[in-house]
Each structure stands twice: as structure tokens, then as C-alpha cells.
Amino acid sequence: MRERFLWIGISLIVLSTAGNYLFFQSKQLDEPIFLKHYYSQELESQDQEGNIEWTFHYLTNKQNPKTVQSTEVDGITGYPAQDQGITFWEEGEPQINFEQEYNHHYLVPVTIEIPAEQIPMDNDSWSFESMHVTFSDQTDMNTKIGKIGLIDEAVSEDVFESSSASSSNDGEVITTLNVSKPIDVEEISVPFSDEIGDEMAINIGEVNGKKHDISEEGVFPISFQEGESLRIQSQFSPNSSIYVDVEMGIKGETEDGDLFTRGFYVNDQPYFTQKEILDIIAEKAGDTE
Amino acid sequence: MRSSFTSMFWGILLVLIDIRIGIDLLPDPVGYFLISYGVYILLEAFPIGKKAYVTGIALGFLSIPSIVIDQNSLDDMTQPWGLYGFILHVFHLVLVFYLFQLMLAIAQTKQDDELIANTNSTMKFYLFTLLVFYISMPFAINFYGPWIDVYTLITTIAAFIVEIAFLVMLHRFRKLDDDFTRVDSEQ
């Protein structure tokens, strides 16, 4: 009689094993998913000799994860930077250097280097939205990557004396500039504003004075006097799912009518929960149908 | 009786303990054949042991690859060898069940109530614990988080305790003498 109990137990084991295997298989990705990145920076003249680096992030299966061997954009090949942080070795094979771990996937960063001299700066700028990726196991894919751009160094009147920047864990970046001449700020330029504008709120003002939300009508021009401290606060939405590292610009006119432009960097890294990862995967599956 | 259960005792020990340097120095197949040998000696007096005998021989052959497969592959259920390792564990549970059946039959001929009760309860304890363990183990491939580590720790300790309990029972049966009255078989 008790033997039947054993065999019922064994059948439950078989059921559990089969069910869990099916579920596991259904969660495996056919190919990695690259997240959206919005990067923009100035290409300074001294950079022409070195490399430009961008860090991209992708989701890959925990079972047989893929590592990037090379990328290609516009005929230019990029390779992962050599010192990618700590690499763990286990049983003679390099372990994946992941940023976050989920039930079935890893979120992996890869820093790609491109020789600056190979970049074709047409009209003083270059940008791309997708790239071709080859993995170490010789599989490859074309993927949208967001928008990556380079612009030529801007030359302008120097109207700021010193500056400082700080950022916090909850997506807030503060840039402070000390004004050395009276100026009228006429614009804050935001690269890729169509794509990233929704994820951030920007306001500008004198450090101890009124803050102006730049998305409001009639905010500009804003005047600053010599000696005042201009403060720009950029606040990213906590649910943002994009990587941002852009150089924004303050543009305006001095008292004497000279135009000035000054760049300042703003960046934000998203954090994904398990559920958000599943949403991203489902969305991607919807795209390819 | 003594030599039977000595054989089974060492057989189980060989299966449970694995010292791997390139290969498993305490090979599981040898353990299983030892167990079957121990059962074989008693087969004439206790035909109920036939199932244990057959299962032991089958496991002896089935476990041959485990001599050379490394422990990590055997533990990772998402890989083919991990599934193989899991199947071996489940089969082993079946073998131990049949061994308990044999031991119960022997205890009954001794008409030792305490021994019968102890064997029964150890059997239930063993069966229940490992069934729960093996039914829940496949769920672990689909989850990640700190409680997976807690689950692994608890189940490892529980499995360890349960195997010790079984070994203790085997050791008790070693001490039984061969002086028994054969009960009219109703198997």
C-alpha cells in the first residue's frame, strides 16, 4: 500500500520537472536584447588621436550567455575595451561580467572603443541609431541602439568662471556655473529631445532665486548678473528605461551682443526590476512579429 | 545478516560520498553493486528483496557515467548532465524505499515491535523529506534571489540528516543475528 504513495510522489516529481523545464525554455531569448542609449558628446580636437568609448547594455540568457566580440557601424569596427573590470574565472572559462542578475537573464555592460580618427564628421557631426554586433560564439545581429552622436567642438565666448556638478542616486543632476559677465540665457539645448525629453524635467535659475522650468512657455530669456551663480537642475524620471549621457548646452547673448554657448554633461542610468525586464522582453517579442 | 548489511552500509556510503580528483575515487557503481550483493545474500530467505536487488543493479549501470562527470555539471539542472544527476537521485530514492521494505520484513520476523516501529518511522521520515525536496527542486531553475540560497541550505541539511538516519538503521540491522523464524510469506 505504501508503495503506491512512493509512485504518486515520483509522478509529482516528473510533473514538476517537466513543467519547470517547459517554463524555463519559454523564458530563453533567441538573441540578446540591447537597451536604448542616448549619448552625445563633443569631439574635441585632441580626441582625434585616441579612442571614443561608449558603454552599451544588453540582456542575455543566464544559460550560455553571449559576450560581444566586435561591433560595426558605418564600416567602422569597434572592440570591447580591454579592462572591463573584474572578470571571474571558473573552471577555466571566463564568467560573464554582469551588472544585474534576474531569474533567467543577465544585464551585461560592454564598453566599445572606436578610434576617433576613423569617424567621418560630415557637417561637423556624426550619429547612428543602430549597429551590427558580433558575439564570441560567432552569432551576430543588427540592433537598434538608441541614438549616439558626436558633434564638433563649439567655440565661443567664455562667460562662466568656474563650475561644479553633482548627481544623486534618484536621478537628479545639478550643474552650477559662476557668471563672469552679465548675460541673457536664451536656450537650453537638449540633444535627442524628442526621445529623452519625456524622461526628464529641467529647471534653471539663480542659486538662491526663482527656478524656471524650461518646458514652460515664455521662460526665456533669463538674465544673470556678474558674480551670480547659475544653477541647472535636471531630474530624471525614476521609471526611465533609457541610458542617457549627453552634453546639453546653455546658449545666449552677452551684454555686448556676443553669442555664447557652454556645454554641461548630464547622465542617468536606469535600474530595472524583474518585472520591468519581462516587460522589455515582451515588447521586443511584439516588435519582431 | 551481518555481512549483508555491512555490504549495504558501505555501498550507501560509497554512493553518498564522492571524492573527485579527475574521477570519482569512491565510484557510485561499486556502491550500488555492493548494495545489491548484500540484498542478494538475503534473497532466498526474503524474496521481497527482489525489487531492491534489481533496482540496485540497474543503478549500478546507470551511474557509471557519474564516475567521470564533474560535480558542477551534475548539480546544474539546466544542463543535460544535471538532469541525469537528478534522475539518479530519484532512482536512488526508489532503491532506498525497497531496502526499507526488506528491512521491515526482516524486523517482522524478529517480532521486535520497537525495531518495526523505528524502521517504519525512519522510512516515512526519509520518504517524505526527499519527496518534498525532489518535487520542489525543479522550481529553483526558474527563480533567482536570496531565498534560493536559503532553500538550498535547508534542503541540503535535511537531506544530510535523512541519509544519516538511514545509515544508522542499516547499522542496527547489522547487529541482528541470523536466528529468525521465517514468517509464512504473504507477500
Side-chain angles (χ1 to χ4, degrees), chain A residues 223-241:
Chain A
S223 306
F224 291 90
Q225 301 308 316
E226 182 178 338
E228 284 187 327
S229 286
L230 187 166
R231 194 190 127 170
I232 308 167
Q233 182 209 25
S234 318
Q235 175 69 54
F236 282 91
S237 148
N239 297 326
S240 166
S241 62

Side-chain angles (χ1 to χ4, degrees), chain A residues 84-100:
Chain A
Q84 298 261 11
I86 313 164
T87 310
F88 297 96
W89 289 74
E90 196 184 299
E91 305 258 277
E93 282 185 28
Q95 293 294 94
I96 196 102
N97 180 27
F98 58 84
E99 204 167 71
Q100 280 223 262

Side-chain angles (χ1 to χ4, degrees), chain A residues 16 36 76 101 133 162 194 196 200 216 225 255 274 287:
Chain A
S16 170
K36 293 275 190 299
I76 309 172
E101 184 175 352
V133 183
S162 61
D194 287 338
I196 72 177
M200 52 192 286
E216 283 170 10
Q225 301 308 316
E255 209 173 36
Q274 173 65 57
D287 277 348

